Amino acid sequence: MDSSSHKFYPVHGFDSREHLETYFSNKPEVVFGDDITKFPMECLHRAFSEGGTDCSASGLFSSFMIADTCVEQVNGKESYFSTGDGNHKLRGHIKGELLIDISTGAFIHHLYTASGYFKQICALKCSEQCIMELNKWNNKRTGAFDWSHIIKHIKCLEGNSDLCQDKDITLNTAITKIMKCDTDKENLTDPEVLPPADCVISAVLLEFISKDQNDYIGNFRKFVKLLKPEGYLILFGALNTTYAMIGQDKVHVFKYDESFVRKVLIDEGFIIDHWAVQKRTAVSDLIDYKEIIFITARRE
């Protein structure tokens, strides 16, 4: 199948439950846990939590230095990150009143940690099916997707089982809005205008809704309009990807590399605080990403 026959998410959508089951479930055949669930959650934990974690600390993270890059063993898997100030420490400093999440599909694993640092979370979704799937979980309906394996991982990160038992309640309470967004419009939530956010998280969406570099830049600009001045942007995405299989559908993914996204951030007036990359560990032909990237940045 050539790229011209790939499904395009903004036009064709995809089965949001199939997406969750294929890439985020705890089934033995799902091989993406280290790359697309644990790695971003560990990065978020260090970005949000008080004091941060020095990359030489013991526990989940061990590391060694190469020039201005920190190469780590994250749960035994090699990854690397660098920081804007050169001290290779992820300080816990991102928090506030409102977080806007604009991510592909109906996954929420990255929001469990965030819910402890923001009073309100607004989740923007590109399809009604994603909204229905997320509402099913948020309203505790029968058949909602099971995220209990994520709670167990948070327990490992935070080391407090009592608090972890309350994570579902905390996130459920923090999500105050689940809204449809239209990426074709300058105001993504038109006609409603959202208050500017202290932080915007976008997880693996820009590559699904962009056909080329100009598309990516245009969509990026729409996303960051949701931010307050000096607000924080958190991105994670799949580098050098061309497709993702969701059920029987081969879905288009815009291929980009580290240098491209770094240039976009700098050109659009952002200071990059933290930059982390996890080399692919999953063996599967369902999706062809080479690395997972995690970035925190703030407006100058």
Side-chain angles (χ1 to χ4, degrees):
M1 183 185 292
D2 63 35
S3 61
S4 64
S5 61
H6 292 182
K7 302 288 187 180
F8 187 46
Y9 182 43
V11 175
H12 305 104
F14 57 62
D15 186 325
S16 59
R17 186 54 178 254
E18 185 71 28
H19 180 240
L20 292 178
E21 297 288 355
T22 302
Y23 295 99
F24 299 96
S25 76
N26 201 32
K27 296 175 182 176
E29 63 270 24
V30 175
V31 297
F32 304 100
D34 283 344
D35 293 355
I36 65 176
T37 56
K38 291 181 180 180
F39 171 67
M41 287 173 65
E42 288 158 2
C43 290
L44 284 167
H45 170 68
R46 298 198 301 169
F48 290 134
S49 59
E50 290 294 340
T53 303
D54 195 310
C55 64
S56 63
S58 60
L60 287 170
F61 300 87
S62 60
S63 62
F64 56 91
M65 307 300 299
I66 298 178
D68 292 327
T69 300
C70 181
V71 179
E72 299 186 320
Q73 295 295 319
V74 181
N75 281 334
K77 311 298 181 182
E78 184 178 287
S79 63
Y80 63 90
F81 75 87
S82 61
T83 61
D85 59 13
N87 66 6
H88 307 288
K89 184 174 180 179
L90 292 181
R91 295 187 301 269
H93 60 289
I94 302 176
K95 59 185 68 176
E97 293 289 324
L98 175 64
L99 180 147
I100 295 176
D101 175 61
I102 177 166
S103 301
T104 193
F107 59 79
I108 56 169
H109 62 286
H110 58 302
L111 297 179
Y112 277 101
T113 296
S115 64
Y117 299 93
F118 294 88
K119 293 182 179 179
Q120 299 180 67
I121 295 175
C122 175
L124 303 184
K125 296 298 171 187
C126 294
S127 75
E128 294 293 345
Q129 192 180 58
C130 288
I131 291 172
M132 289 174 61
E133 188 66 47
L134 187 49
N135 274 325
K136 190 186 294 184
W137 172 85
N138 206 38
N139 295 322
K140 300 179 174 63
R141 294 177 190 159
T142 302
F145 190 75
D146 180 10
W147 293 101
S148 59
H149 56 297
I150 298 300
I151 300 294
K152 291 178 182 177
H153 187 60
I154 293 173
K155 178 179 176 180
C156 291
L157 285 174
E158 299 185 354
N160 189 326
S161 59
D162 292 334
L163 288 177
C164 287
Q165 290 172 359
D166 297 331
K167 283 294 182 182
D168 262 332
I169 297 171
T170 302
L171 180 55
N172 187 274
T173 302
I175 296 177
T176 54
K177 281 189 176 184
I178 301 171
M179 297 178 62
K180 178 78 179 293
C181 67
D182 186 343
T183 57
D184 286 333
K185 294 184 177 179
E186 283 301 313
N187 172 20
L188 297 171
T189 57
D190 185 66
E192 186 168 346
V193 178
L194 294 177
D198 299 284
C199 179
V200 169
I201 295 181
S202 184
V204 202
L205 181 60
L206 285 164
E207 51 265 61
F208 271 82
I209 63 170
S210 304
K211 292 183 177 179
D212 53 32
Q213 290 187 358
N214 288 336
D215 253 5
Y216 186 103
I217 294 166
N219 287 320
F220 178 91
R221 288 171 176 166
K222 294 175 189 177
F223 286 15
V224 300
K225 284 181 180 178
L226 299 168
L227 272 176
K228 285 181 177 178
E230 301 183 0
Y232 275 89
L233 175 68
I234 298 177
L235 292 176
F236 56 94
L239 294 178
N240 293 300
T241 314
T242 64
Y243 74 89
M245 294 299 301
I246 302 172
Q248 298 301 309
D249 293 331
K250 197 168 193 177
V251 180
H252 158 87
V253 184
F254 166 60
K255 183 179 180 179
Y256 65 95
D257 59 17
E258 285 189 67
S259 60
F260 170 72
V261 70
R262 185 184 292 271
K263 185 176 187 303
V264 171
L265 285 161
I266 293 170
D267 287 351
E268 297 301 320
F270 282 83
I271 297 170
I272 298 169
D273 277 358
H274 311 300
W275 183 281
V277 177
Q278 165 95 354
K279 295 182 182 299
R280 181 183 179 120
T281 66
V283 179
S284 172
D285 59 2
L286 289 171
I287 185 170
D288 65 342
Y289 68 86
K290 300 300 186 293
E291 296 169 314
I292 301 296
I293 194 167
F294 175 91
I295 304 162
T296 67
R298 54 192 164 85
R299 288 184 185 273
E300 291 190 82

